[in-house]
Amino acid sequence: MEKNILVVDDSRFIFEEMKYKMRGCERYKISYYCPDGESLLEAYEKYKPDLVTVDIVMPGIDGIQATKLLMEAHPEARVIVVTSLVFDDTIEEAEQAGAIGFMGKPFETEQMIRDFDAAFAKRP
């Protein structure tokens, strides 16, 4: 059964790129798009995705704050942060916010699948 993924990113291009790269994957489907951190809670409650990917650098509420807000409201949520800012302190900050995975940009299909698999292995 496919797991549905919500992509939160201020660039719709990232959503389309992830969707394109995951076409044909039977385990995961890039199903939903949310353009900003402000509307993440509403999108999560509407779609009830199995996994959320959140860009860190977004205008308004950034991905770290959006993750904190989501986890406070929905502690069962699975969040992977997605960013080109691959630094130890960024990873640590994301984990403290409640993210259970980290995916660096640019990404390839095989790495995305491994990152998604790891997220599902961490939390039932």
Side-chain angles (χ1 to χ4, degrees):
M1 181 177 188
E2 277 182 336
K3 303 282 189 191
N4 290 301
I5 299 170
L6 167 65
V7 175
V8 182
D9 200 299
D10 58 321
S11 170
R12 187 169 179 96
F13 173 78
I14 296 298
F15 168 70
E16 296 297 339
E17 180 182 15
M18 290 175 80
K19 198 160 91 169
Y20 177 77
K21 287 186 176 195
M22 294 300 289
R23 72 192 185 288
C25 178
E26 295 178 5
R27 293 196 312 259
Y28 304 110
K29 182 177 180 184
I30 307 299
S31 303
Y32 314 111
Y33 173 70
C34 178
D36 53 51
E38 285 85 357
S39 55
L40 172 55
L41 281 177
E42 182 181 335
Y44 185 85
E45 290 166 1
K46 178 179 179 181
Y47 301 123
K48 300 186 182 356
D50 299 298
L51 178 70
V52 179
T53 68
V54 180
D55 184 27
I56 290 181
V57 179
M58 295 186 290
I61 297 176
D62 68 17
I64 299 293
Q65 186 62 34
T67 298
K68 285 180 188 174
L69 294 171
L70 176 62
M71 297 310 294
E72 287 170 5
H74 297 280
E76 76 284 359
R78 289 183 181 93
V79 177
I80 293 178
V81 293
V82 180
T83 188
S84 56
L85 303 173
V86 184
F87 302 111
D88 288 342
D89 58 333
T90 305
I91 294 169
E92 184 179 319
E93 195 175 1
E95 288 173 347
Q96 288 174 355
I100 58 172
F102 186 87
M103 192 163 50
K105 292 178 187 175
F107 37 77
E108 295 300 325
T109 305
E110 297 79 18
Q111 185 61 51
M112 288 172 55
I113 292 170
R114 283 193 298 271
D115 292 339
F116 296 162
D117 286 345
F120 283 101
K122 286 183 182 178
R123 188 175 296 159

